[in-house]
Amino acid sequence: MRIARPFSLELHYQQQLMAPLVFLPQPRQVVQLGLGAGALAKYCWRQLPQAAVTAVEISAAVVATAYQWFKVPKDDRLEIVVEDAREFISHPRRRRSVDWLQVDLYDAAARGPVYADEGFYTACRAALRRPGVAAFNLFGRHFEHDFAPIARAFEDRAVVLPEADAGNRIVLGFAGPTLDVPFTALYERALEIETRFRLPARKWIAGIRAENRYSERLQV
């Protein structure tokens, strides 16, 4: 976090976790699994005033640090829950209640996603409204291994963003009606996002299109 800009997203992979803006720009409920320093929580709280934001973090110490040192606001629209992410997202009351799900679950040594099995990702998909979008942070060097259970859980309705500077890869998983949209329309939406949010959204779309062999349409 930059002291002078505590509500900005400084890391590329964090910016890419905002890619659901392209596909579902007006979420009512945003759930984040993993708090860290609270960058995403703060950003969504400020930039999405129509949305309720819930961040789930297993460590009470991490939560206390985020409040004390990283300017995470105490506000009714931003809820921080101290709970295990799998237990939280698997609870029946979460079913089809989430518009955006942002998942960034790494332990203190950053050895890999804390949960990376198909059962966890299936619970994530079940929590999404129809339509709903999930964004998952993976590492490039383990990408193929970690991507496979996401693809299975989301019935191959998953797209990959370009690799971030630190080697992270962000995967988007979709629930709800089939997407069939021209890339020209996605670029137009991306330009709107760049203007309003100052996020490099056209680079995201270019990366997705490259993964789709430069097709004229995104079908997922």
Side-chain angles (χ1 to χ4, degrees):
M1 184 189 80
R2 294 182 188 270
I3 298 299
R5 297 190 300 180
F7 291 90
S8 296
L9 294 177
E10 300 297 335
L11 302 178
H12 288 171
Y13 89 88
Q14 294 172 336
Q15 295 173 1
Q16 289 186 355
L17 283 167
M18 294 299 299
L21 277 169
V22 177
F23 303 97
L24 199 62
Q26 293 289 326
R28 293 167 288 165
Q29 178 68 59
V30 176
V31 170
Q32 300 163 346
L33 303 184
L35 176 67
L40 275 177
K42 291 185 297 183
Y43 189 85
C44 288
W45 173 79
R46 173 163 283 194
Q47 298 292 342
L48 302 172
Q50 80 287 350
V53 181
T54 300
V56 182
E57 170 58 50
I58 197 170
S59 170
V62 168
V63 174
T65 301
Y67 279 131
Q68 182 173 1
W69 297 108
F70 295 106
K71 299 186 183 298
V72 172
K74 293 186 177 181
D75 183 86
D76 290 343
R77 200 166 49 79
L78 174 55
E79 179 186 20
I80 298 181
V81 178
V82 179
E83 189 175 341
D84 178 84
R86 182 194 284 277
E87 293 180 7
F88 179 91
I89 206 63
S90 299
H91 195 283
R93 73 171 177 268
R94 232 68 65 192
R95 186 171 180 82
R96 297 199 178 192
S97 67
V98 180
D99 297 296
W100 288 15
L101 180 65
Q102 296 166 311
V103 182
D104 188 14
L105 289 174
Y106 286 82
D107 62 18
R111 284 185 289 262
V114 173
Y115 297 124
D117 58 278
E118 187 174 345
F120 171 71
Y121 293 125
T122 298
C124 290
R125 183 172 183 265
L128 292 174
R129 287 193 176 111
R130 276 47 173 169
V133 187
F136 303 96
N137 177 30
L138 305 182
F139 272 160
R141 64 180 178 269
H142 300 136
F143 176 74
E144 294 298 335
H145 175 270
D146 292 337
F147 174 74
I150 297 176
R152 292 193 299 269
F154 280 81
E155 299 177 346
D156 291 323
R157 299 192 61 203
V159 299
V160 183
L161 272 66
E163 184 171 330
D165 287 352
N168 303 72
R169 299 296 301 272
I170 303 302
V171 175
L172 301 180
F174 298 91
T178 300
L179 281 176
D180 185 354
V181 58
F183 274 101
T184 53
L186 294 178
Y187 278 115
E188 290 175 4
R189 176 61 189 152
L191 182 57
E192 294 174 4
I193 291 169
E194 291 186 1
T195 301
R196 177 179 173 186
F197 297 96
R198 307 297 182 189
L199 296 171
R202 281 179 293 180
K203 290 184 179 180
W204 309 340
I205 302 306
I208 293 172
R209 191 180 180 203
E211 290 284 338
N212 283 267
R213 301 172 183 256
Y214 296 97
S215 171
E216 296 300 315
R217 307 180 68 86
L218 177 63
Q219 298 173 311
V220 63

